[in-house]
């Protein structure tokens, strides 16, 4: 996994017990690895454009020398057998991770790559199978292998929206790109969001259809895949809880965007009520036809071969029953107590359901099945042989407004559990001797739209004989002006203490202008930042910039930038790519919700908690990069996600009287500014 730095260092030595890795035998440089991955993913539907890789692909025999695999070639034998028996999915066909056959094949290749002991074996297998297996399966397998293999620790993956642009770009723009290629005329085409102004959902399409948001969603699911087993080499720490938290944050952020645009918060989906919002994706598979549309007010139907609606209701009832009882029953009938701060982790594994679920047989796979059932409502009985819907790809799922309704439904189940836990007491929340004396913000909390451009070179078919022409699209994206938090913290402990600083904000009013109670507000809290710092005795003046937030990441560099920087690094220069090694956070442009002309009122909250009690690993104050999602080994914060706002607050005086808690009212503005880049 890529979320490394601080945490990886401690854990790296112990984290790969089952995979006898040596230092890379070939002594291959990071720049060379980056070069190889760039070319393996460039022009994925055509030939490899790097002569060296192409000759490896044509001449390599994966089964020739099994000493290069840590499993003695077991995985490669399996994949080669299916290949020789003509069982693999053909190329130029759609791929969906939610399709069990497709997933099985992609993971067979992932398994081969993960068991390679050195980079040369890794890249030779990747090049060889790139020419044979389905392109979608290949891209998926290579991405997760690069994320999880220690051989590829410092490789930056190119943005998926440039590798497989069809999944991210409206068909009208793709058609324009084809015309530009055919006439050899460079073109830069404007992308618009799906739908028209007649559809109120259009007002928030910039959020769900944002390519950075789509990248965040798919990358998170590659870092923490539901199919992960610890035999791959390490345990994904608190994976179930992270599943809850990352989707909870998407849901509350989406609601804040809706408030910014005078829309009601999202309603949850009900299996026995119509799906109010339809969706026309305006996107087409590279091979396999258009993404299916769904009209308004469709009633849920059983999906042949996947699930019956009554089964979804039964699984939901079993999960809610477990929450009411306060325990889960595992496969052998033993009870697992969930009435504690780690219960949410078990519940997340069950609801998703990942292979970490203690009882898939009984509790089912509510989330994964729901994605398929909702995605198939255009053709539930396979009558028209339509390809999968947008909800059956993590890359495209957030484009459909019903994605957020589905996740609001699951979020409310998680809330039932969280609300069943005892509230924190004043004693538990106090950080003795530490008080927040002052809190303010420097700079305007102001958002604007700007054009974001990306290349469509990989969208069009081509041959090596025809020159590439520059083809790109630009799309408006939300961004915000820089700002910083000023926090004065007093430490009366007579000695240095380690503190965790947690920053949240929630909308002050609901869509009817009624003020949220503290308890309602805290469930809608957006996490803005979390960092560790040493407090010296006396007053500590902390200035924290919005750009330093640990929950966000910069945009992934474009293919062209990766090519340029890699070339520089191969020539002995510095690639300057280290900031992009992790892509798991939300895009840094999305830190603030849009707000509006009047200024949307938010409560900005800072909780300073005891860093010594919170820290799960050492040295957090020295390096706070990438420490948000954890790494091979450990999630850095001992506290639950969302702490101290994750449990119900029957009496808000508990927080009002806490010296280590501060809050102010702020407004987020959007003055309709749109910056066009030429």
């Amino acid at each position: 996994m890529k979320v490394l730095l601080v945490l990886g260092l401690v854990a790296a030595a112990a984290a790969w017990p089952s995979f006898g890795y040596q230092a890379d035998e070939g002594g291959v440089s990071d720049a060379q690895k980056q070069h190889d991955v760039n070319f393996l993913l460039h022009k994925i539907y055509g030939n490899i454009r790097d002569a060296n890789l192409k000759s490896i692909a044509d001449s390599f025999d994966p089964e020739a020398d099994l000493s290069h695999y840590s499993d003695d070639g077991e995985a490669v034998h399996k994949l080669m057998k299916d290949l020789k028996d003509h069982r693999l999915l053909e190329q130029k066909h759609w791929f969906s991770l939610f399709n069990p056959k497709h997933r099985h094949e992609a993971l067979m290749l992932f398994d081969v790559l993960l068991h390679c002991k050195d980079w040369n074996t890794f890249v030779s297998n990747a090049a060889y199978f790139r020419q044979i297996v389905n392109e979608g399966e290949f891209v998926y397998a290579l991405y997760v292998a690069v994320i999880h293999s220690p051989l590829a620790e410092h490789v930056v993956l190119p943005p998926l929206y440039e590798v497989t642009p069809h999944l991210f770009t409206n068909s009208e723009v793709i058609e324009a790109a084809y015309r530009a290629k055919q006439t050899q005329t460079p073109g830069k085409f404007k992308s618009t969001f799906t739908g028209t102004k007649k559809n109120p959902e259009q007002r928030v399409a910039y959020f769900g259809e944002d390519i950075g948001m789509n990248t965040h969603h798919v990358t998170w699911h590659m870092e923490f895949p539901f199919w992960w087993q610890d035999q791959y080499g390490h345990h994904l720490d608190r994976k179930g809880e992270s599943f809850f938290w990352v989707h909870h944050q998407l849901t509350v952020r989406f609601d804040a965007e809706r408030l910014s645009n005078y829309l009601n918060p999202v309603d949850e989906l009900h299996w026995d009520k119509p799906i109010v919002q339809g969706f026309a994706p305006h996107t087409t598979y590279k091979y396999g036809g258009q993404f299916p549309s769904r009209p308004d007010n469709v009633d849920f139907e059983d999906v042949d071969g996947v699930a019956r609606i009554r089964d979804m209701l039964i699984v939901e009832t079993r999960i809610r029953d477990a929450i009411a009882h306060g325990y889960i029953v595992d496969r052998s009938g033993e009870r697992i107590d969930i009435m504690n701060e780690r219960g949410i982790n078990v519940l997340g594994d069950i609801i998703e359901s990942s292979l970490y679920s203690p009882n898939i047989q009984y509790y089912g796979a509510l989330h994964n099945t729901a994605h398929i059932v909702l995605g198939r409502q255009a053709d539930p009985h396979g009558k028209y042989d339509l390809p999968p819907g947008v909800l059956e790809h993590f890359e495209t799922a957030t484009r459909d407004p019903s994605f957020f309704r589905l996740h609001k439904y699951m979020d409310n189940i998680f809330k039932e559990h969280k609300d069943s836990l005892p509230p924190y007491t004043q004693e538990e929340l106090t950080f003795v001797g530490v008080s927040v004396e002052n809190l303010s913000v420097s700079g305007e909390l102001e958002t604007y739209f700007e054009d974001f451009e990306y290349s469509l070179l990989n969208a069009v078919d081509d041959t090596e004989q025809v020159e590439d022409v520059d083809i790109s699209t630009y799309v408006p994206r939300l961004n915000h002006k820089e700002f910083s938090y000023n926090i004065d913290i007093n430490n009366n402990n007579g000695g240095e203490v380690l503190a965790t600083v947690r920053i949240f904000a929630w909308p002050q009013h609901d869509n009817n202008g009624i003020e949220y109670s503290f308890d309602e507000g805290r469930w809608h809290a957006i996490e803005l930042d979390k960092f560790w710092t040493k407090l010296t005795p006396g007053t500590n003046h902390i200035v924290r910039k919005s750009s330093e937030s640990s929950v966000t990441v910069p945009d992934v560099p474009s293919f062209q930038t990766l090519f340029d920087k890699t070339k520089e690094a191969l020539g002995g220069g510095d690639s300057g790519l280290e900031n992009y090694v992790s892509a798991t956070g939300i895009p840094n442009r999305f830190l603030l919700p849009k707000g509006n002309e009047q200024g949307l009122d938010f409560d900005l909250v800072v909780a300073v908690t005891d860093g010594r009690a919170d820290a799960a690993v050492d040295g957090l104050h020295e390096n706070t990069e990438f420490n948000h999602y954890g790494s091979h080994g450990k999630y850095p914060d001992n506290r639950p996600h969302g702490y101290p706002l994750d449990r119900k607050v029957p009496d808000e005086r508990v927080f009002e009287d806490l010296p280590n808690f501060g809050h102010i009212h702020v407004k987020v503005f959007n003055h309709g500014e749109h910056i066009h880049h030429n």
Side-chain angles (χ1 to χ4, degrees):
M1 198 181 295
K2 285 302 188 54
V3 203
L4 151 87
L5 301 189
V6 196
L7 316 165
L9 307 182
V10 193
W16 298 93
S18 56
F19 278 79
Y21 285 108
Q22 306 85 21
D24 203 346
E25 288 163 8
V28 180
S29 70
D30 287 340
Q32 182 59 45
K33 293 178 181 181
Q34 185 68 54
H35 169 92
D36 293 341
V37 170
N38 292 349
F39 277 99
L40 284 167
L41 290 164
H42 186 47
K43 305 212 166 180
I44 194 69
Y45 296 103
N47 289 329
I48 300 175
R49 295 298 172 87
D50 177 79
N52 184 35
L53 281 176
K54 178 81 177 94
S55 71
I56 292 173
D58 292 339
S59 60
F60 182 67
D61 174 0
E63 294 177 293
D65 183 353
L66 301 179
S67 69
H68 288 279
Y69 302 101
S70 55
D71 63 346
D72 299 325
E74 194 184 323
V76 86
H77 285 324
K78 241 191 232 157
L79 181 54
M80 290 302 284
K81 184 166 180 6
D82 276 13
L83 173 63
K84 287 166 187 160
D85 293 346
H86 305 291
R87 291 174 59 87
L88 298 180
L89 177 67
E90 71 269 23
Q91 291 194 317
K92 307 206 177 348
H93 184 290
W94 56 265
F95 158 75
S96 167
L97 186 68
F98 286 112
N99 177 307
K101 178 183 188 298
H102 296 186
R103 181 169 69 247
H104 173 70
E105 291 180 11
L107 294 188
M108 282 166 83
L109 177 53
F110 165 75
D111 215 10
V112 170
L113 297 174
L114 207 62
H115 282 94
C116 296
K117 285 187 188 176
D118 55 83
W119 183 255
N120 288 336
T121 310
F122 182 102
V123 80
S124 303
N125 272 293
Y128 174 81
F129 286 110
R130 181 192 189 275
Q131 305 204 122
I132 295 165
V133 303
N134 172 273
E135 298 88 350
E137 292 181 353
F138 174 79
V139 169
Y140 185 78
L142 186 62
Y143 265 76
V144 283
V146 166
I147 286 171
H148 292 279
S149 166
L151 296 173
E153 198 83 80
H154 302 112
V155 173
V156 175
L157 284 159
L160 271 163
Y161 48 81
E162 290 194 345
V163 177
T164 50
H166 280 73
L167 293 178
F168 299 89
T169 314
N170 290 4
S171 1
E172 298 86 344
V173 172
I174 298 279
E175 284 163 23
Y178 267 105
R179 283 196 295 277
K181 177 73 181 191
Q182 280 160 349
T183 56
Q184 288 285 291
T185 325
K188 190 158 126 183
F189 308 104
K190 183 179 179 181
S191 277
T192 50
F193 299 117
T194 51
T196 68
K197 286 187 175 166
K198 288 182 179 172
N199 177 4
E201 291 299 316
Q202 190 56 23
R203 292 184 222 162
V204 284
Y206 65 82
F207 184 81
E209 293 186 31
D210 181 83
I211 49 178
M213 185 52 75
N214 301 150
T215 303
H216 159 60
H217 186 232
V218 68
T219 305
W220 187 88
H221 280 285
M222 287 173 169
E223 293 268 6
F224 299 92
F226 63 83
W227 45 260
W228 186 264
Q229 301 175 59
D230 290 355
Q231 70 199 41
Y232 289 129
H234 56 275
H235 180 71
L236 300 177
D237 190 31
R238 288 168 66 176
K239 172 178 166 356
E241 185 185 3
S242 286
F243 168 79
F244 148 66
W245 184 248
V246 81
H247 292 92
H248 171 67
Q249 283 295 299
L250 283 182
T251 309
V252 297
R253 282 175 173 276
F254 187 61
D255 273 346
E257 299 300 343
R258 296 179 73 81
L259 276 178
S260 301
N261 291 285
Y262 311 101
L263 293 169
N264 294 348
V266 113
D267 284 327
E268 61 175 325
L269 274 182
H270 295 271
W271 296 114
D272 45 8
K273 290 185 185 164
I275 310 162
V276 179
Q277 268 81 20
F279 182 57
H282 284 261
T283 39
T284 307
Y285 282 94
K286 172 83 173 166
Y287 299 105
Q290 296 194 335
F291 275 90
S293 298
R294 181 186 65 248
D296 288 348
N297 298 311
V298 168
D299 284 320
F300 272 111
E301 287 191 48
D302 296 347
V303 177
D304 295 1
V306 176
R308 295 176 299 196
I309 298 306
R310 66 173 192 231
D311 296 336
M312 302 303 285
L313 286 160
I314 289 168
V315 161
E316 177 195 331
T317 306
R318 288 174 179 175
I319 292 168
R320 293 180 58 190
D321 213 32
I323 292 168
H325 277 117
Y327 62 82
I328 297 285
V329 179
D330 72 11
R331 283 184 198 86
S332 54
E334 298 295 315
R335 290 181 179 184
I336 300 172
D337 176 25
I338 56 169
M339 290 296 288
N340 53 55
E341 63 177 27
R342 292 293 179 252
I344 186 78
N345 190 45
V346 183
L347 204 56
D349 287 335
I350 275 175
I351 287 175
E352 186 175 20
S353 115
S354 72
L355 294 184
Y356 281 4
S357 167
N359 196 344
I360 293 179
Q361 194 63 37
Y362 185 69
Y363 295 109
L366 186 63
H367 167 264
N368 293 351
T369 314
H371 263 267
I372 307 172
V373 167
L374 187 52
R376 294 274 174 92
Q377 287 306 307
D379 187 19
H381 310 299
K383 222 163 130 178
Y384 308 108
D385 194 23
L386 294 182
V390 290
L391 281 142
E392 293 176 74
H393 302 272
F394 289 128
E395 295 92 328
T396 53
T398 62
R399 295 171 74 100
D400 187 335
S402 62
F403 168 87
F404 295 100
R405 287 160 181 76
L406 178 65
H407 277 283
K408 176 69 75 87
Y409 156 71
M410 285 180 241
D411 203 44
N412 286 342
I413 298 176
F414 282 119
K415 186 174 192 295
E416 248 171 72
H417 161 70
K418 280 286 192 179
D419 285 353
S420 72
L421 298 172
Y424 294 116
T425 62
Q426 190 134 15
E427 293 71 48
E428 286 175 308
L429 294 170
T430 306
F431 186 2
V432 179
V434 171
S435 55
V436 175
E437 299 297 330
N438 207 354
L439 169 62
S440 67
V441 172
S442 299
E444 285 292 308
L445 296 182
E446 194 181 325
T447 66
Y448 58 92
F449 282 91
E450 67 176 11
D451 294 337
F452 181 79
E453 187 181 348
Y454 62 95
S455 164
L456 295 177
L457 210 57
N458 286 346
V460 296
D461 295 326
D462 66 353
T463 66
E464 285 159 76
Q465 291 72 44
V466 180
E467 282 292 301
D468 280 336
V469 289
D470 280 337
I471 314 169
S472 63
T473 180
Y474 61 96
V475 60
R477 282 196 68 181
L478 188 67
N479 203 342
H480 61 84
K481 299 193 169 160
E482 293 298 320
F483 63 93
S484 46
Y485 314 96
N486 307 307
I487 313 166
D488 290 326
I489 306 173
N490 215 351
N491 169 18
N492 292 323
N493 282 304
E496 201 177 50
V497 293
L498 179 64
T500 317
V501 182
R502 305 162 186 276
I503 307 177
F504 299 92
W506 64 73
Q508 216 175 320
H509 305 97
D510 70 10
N511 49 305
N512 294 316
I514 299 165
E515 190 160 344
Y516 279 128
S517 69
F518 190 94
D519 188 50
E520 289 165 332
R522 59 102 206 160
W523 185 255
H524 291 96
I526 292 169
E527 185 177 23
L528 294 172
D529 203 352
K530 170 166 67 180
F531 60 96
W532 285 265
T533 184
K534 283 274 173 82
L535 300 176
T536 53
T539 302
N540 294 259
H541 181 62
I542 294 172
V543 178
R544 176 80 169 178
K545 294 186 194 144
S546 56
S547 56
E548 296 174 299
S549 169
S550 67
V551 303
T552 66
V553 292
D555 285 319
V556 184
S558 67
F559 243 134
Q560 196 49 56
T561 307
L562 286 176
F563 280 132
D564 296 345
K565 300 244 185 213
T566 307
K567 206 170 177 181
E568 221 169 292
L570 284 170
D574 175 26
S575 76
L577 292 171
E578 49 287 335
N579 292 344
Y580 306 102
V581 168
S582 166
T584 320
I586 60 163
N588 53 16
R589 306 161 179 228
F590 265 49
L591 185 60
L592 290 181
K594 174 178 154 272
N596 52 36
E597 296 239 333
Q598 284 79 34
L600 193 64
D601 294 306
F602 280 87
D603 276 303
L604 181 72
V605 168
V606 170
V608 181
T609 59
D610 183 348
R612 210 182 50 209
D614 298 346
V617 290
D618 295 330
L620 285 170
H621 58 290
E622 286 152 10
N623 185 344
T624 59
E625 281 188 38
F626 301 153
N627 62 18
H628 192 63
Y629 287 92
S631 146
H632 296 329
K634 264 307 222 187
Y635 180 76
D637 188 0
N638 269 324
R639 301 288 180 195
H641 275 301
Y643 175 84
L645 303 175
D646 62 310
R647 295 196 185 181
K648 68 170 188 270
V649 181
D651 185 350
E652 51 205 60
R653 289 171 303 184
V654 170
F655 277 89
E656 280 165 11
D657 301 342
L658 271 187
N660 50 317
F661 184 84
H663 84 120
I664 54 170
H665 294 317
V666 295
K667 283 179 185 288
V668 180
F669 289 95
N670 179 287
H671 296 299
E673 192 181 345
H674 191 138
I675 298 172
H676 295 280
H677 299 292
N678 293 330

